[in-house]
Structures are given as C-alpha cells and as structure tokens.
Amino acid sequence: MGNQTTRSGIASQRKLESASSTANAAPCDVTRSETDHSSYTEFLPIESLTKILVHLAHEEEHVNGITKSVFQKYLFPTHPELSEKLFSYLHHNAQATTTYISTTAFKQQAEKFLSVMNDQAILENYIKMYSNIKDGGNVTPETLKALLMCCYQLAMENNSTSMCLRSEQIINAVVVSCFHGKNSLSTNYVSNWIGQHCPRMVHGLQRYVVHVLTTAYRSGKALLSKEQPQPPIEIPTPVLEKSNLEFPQTNLLPISFVWLLSCTLPQCYLQTNDSPKDVTHALIARRTGSICPRHWTLLYNSGEHGTGANRFLHHVLGYRGPTLLIIRAASVERDEECATYCVCSTVEWRESHLYWGDEDSMGIQLTPSYKIIEKGPKILYLNTNIRGYPHGLRLGSDPRSPFISIDESFHSVSIAGAPYRIASLEVWGCGDTKLREKQLEIKKWQVKEVEKQRVVKLSASDWLDHPDRYLLELAGRASYNESNN
C-alpha cells in the first residue's frame, strides 16, 4: 500500500487485514494486539468463535445466543468453575436480561476482555470475576481461595508432581495475610494487595484464557469438547517432594512454595538462558508461562551438609548469582515447625561489616502468613570473623533492630525479636548452570591449594635452624642420627 493517502474504504480493508494477521499470531501475542473498540466485529478469532457457539446453542437448546452450558462444554470442559466465573463475568458486563448472552454482546465483551493490556487491570478483572458480583462485588476469603487454587491447579495440570501436600497451607497463608481476620474486603484492596505481594499470580491463568478464546475456533464445530486429554508431562523442577532417605528429617522446598515464589520474585530470579529443548515443553511454557523455574539448584541443605557457619559459608560463598535462603524456624518450647521465611539476594554472598544488597533483594514470610517483609538495597548482612562487629546473618535495613537475625553458630534465629530454634536451612541458586560450574571449579582449586600448603619441603640446613626442631628436643624427643643430619 506504500505511503499513499488512504481513503475510508482502504482504511477499513487495512483493519480487516490486521485482524486476520493477528488471528494467525501466537496465543501469547494476541493479548498485545490492539483492538478497535468502535467496531468489535473485525476480530477474526472472536468472530469465528461466536458463530460456532451460536450455532451449537441453537441446535442443542434452541436459543439465539450463547448459553452457559454451551460455553462450558465446548470451551472449558476440564475447568467448570473457571468457565462459570468467566461466563457470569461476561454476562454481568453485557447487562443481559436473559440467561444467555446475545451474539453482539458476547463479541463486544470478549474483545473488550482481550484488549486489556495493563497487568494491574488484568488482575482486577479476575478479582472481580471471582468476587460476589450480586452482593456488591466484595471479596471473601472463600472466593479469593478459589481464585488462588484455580491458578495453582492450572499451573500444575501438566506436571506429574501436581499433588503437593503443602498447597493448601501456602494458599491459606496468602488468604490469612490478605484479610487479617476480616470477613470481606473490596476488590480494589484485594487487587492492590495481590499486586504488591504476588503480582504475577494470574499471568498463567490469563494466558490460558486468551489461548482458548483465540484458538478454539481452529478445531471446528467440536471446539475443545472432544479434545483428547494429554498424558501427564513432567516439567523438570528443582523440587523434590520426597525426603532424602538418608536424612528423613529434611524436607526440601515444596513445589507449591516454588509456584508462589515465582509469582512474587523479580525476573532476575526466574529468567535463564536454558530454554525447553523439546516442542511439548516449549508449547506448555508458552501457554501457561514459566510457572516453576527449571534452573534452580540446591547449594546447601543443613540436614544433608551439616549445620554451622563454616558449612554454610563453604557451600554458598563463591556462587555469583541470585540465591534464596529458606529458613524454617521451630519454637524453643516445642519441636513442631513454627514459621518459614525466605531471604532473597540477587548478588553474591559476602562477609562484610557493612550491609549490602541491591533494589531486588528482599525478605519474604512464607508461613503461617505470606507477605513481603522488606525490599530494597542494603538490607543483608553476613559476618563471621570480623572483630568488633556483630556476628551472624541479618535481614533488615535497621542495624539496631533487624527483622531476622541468625546467631554466629547458625543454630538459632531471632524473628522480630522473638527467639526460635532453626529447624533447617536451605540455599537455592537461581542462576544458570554456568554459575554453578564456576563455583565448583573455584572450590576444587581451593582444595588443591590447601593440599599444597599441607606438604612443606625443608632442606637439611633449614631443618637444623627450624624452631620446631628445638621444641621437639625440649619435649624429650631424641635428636636425629648424625648420618641424616
């Protein structure tokens, strides 16, 4: 078309071509396309989907529109609760007076739903979708828990380790922290709280819904109702649901905790150059997003590597990438687990008498309530040998009153001034495999240097004047024979 001056007819043709090219794009790119709000009938995927749904509703229920049962059966057969919430949300926004949605209203609301680009606005839409719309739009603990469980189940449906016994605990921790004992909250407050403490909570859910609405028409009149269920595919994660048989008292980071941390942490903890090699894993990652990091590696586990500052420093120092320190605290009076915290560092751990860390360093409480404690530069402290300064590990911007303080023996921890016994410590490296390999190479070099220092070769003349010879003689050790001397 060049740079010619376009008339209205040519401009309309350009819009149709743009919509057609958008339909052939990837599902994750559809959300980034721009739709023309003045005319909702030019978006080809929604146009084709609407025609199929109207035809099915007319055949099965003799209705000139789109019903809830058809919407659920042919678009979300495996997620009935999500289907009901989404249909009710579109039905409410369309201000429909009937139980079904008319053809024009469905196209308008579906395209309007897909045109939202802002992350916070997308989050608000899902909070409203799961809220009690008929009761004023307030959010209850039950409705928020249903949304969180839907996000978690969708993220784990293609993972063979989806049965996590701790998922209920971590989801309840988010609900408890958000509501503070209240029975209901406004949608604005809940969306702002989720956006602050776990901003990527609904990213996987949004990608899945966009994928269904924009690609279901490609399957023909059957849509997704006859879609064959895929066998469970294990997406490699650093999580081990089973305890180590040699150390049965230790439990590594559950996959539900990894999922929630992935919704909270900055991208520097999640991004990696290692992409899925096979096509199946690539498609899953494209549809639902990088739910669980595949590159996290366990650097230190107190149950396996031993407790103490020396053990911690030996396994952690030298790793030049982001790390997560998981602290499980147990009450002094009882042996049961009390609380779990996560100390996040984007830079290499170092021993210093000064506080360090950048703007992405943070502290997170995982259980019994989930929230970001503090985030920002210079909130981390580690010192085990510099005299005249406090020893141990600390988290907090106030040196006089740090929120988390581990003693120099790494056996007890103080959290908000309350003492606890440390049940276990874990450190996970969040960098790529090259960083881990470099750390191991440095450790091998250090071991070789120590072995060299142990073997000291002395000549005969040096040994005659060596202080150790005189000490041995003073202790009663007989002198060496004259031939050797």
Side-chain angles (χ1 to χ4, degrees), residues 15 28 88 123 134 164-165 172 188 190 193 195 243-245 260 297 303 327 331 350 366 380 393 417 441 467 478:
K15 292 180 181 179
C28 59
S88 300
L123 176 59
K134 297 180 180 179
C164 178
L165 301 178
N172 286 335
N188 290 335
V190 175
W193 190 93
S243 302
N244 193 322
L245 298 179
L260 192 54
T297 180
I327 305 172
S331 176
R350 69 192 71 167
L366 298 178
L380 301 176
L393 188 151
E441 290 177 359

Side-chain angles (χ1 to χ4, degrees), residues 92-104:
H92 174 77
N93 290 342
Q95 299 180 355
T97 57
T98 57
T99 57
Y100 57 88
I101 305 177
S102 64
T103 304
T104 304

Side-chain angles (χ1 to χ4, degrees), residues 313 317 349-354 356 382-386:
L313 297 177
L317 293 185
W349 284 86
R350 69 192 71 167
E351 285 199 85
S352 173
H353 66 285
L354 301 174
W356 46 272
L382 176 63
N383 177 31
T384 60
N385 55 21
I386 303 177

Side-chain angles (χ1 to χ4, degrees), residues 49-59 63-66 103:
L49 177 64
T50 304
K51 291 180 180 179
I52 298 175
L53 290 175
V54 170
H55 176 73
L56 293 171
H58 185 268
E59 281 188 347
V63 172
N64 189 19
I66 300 173
T103 304

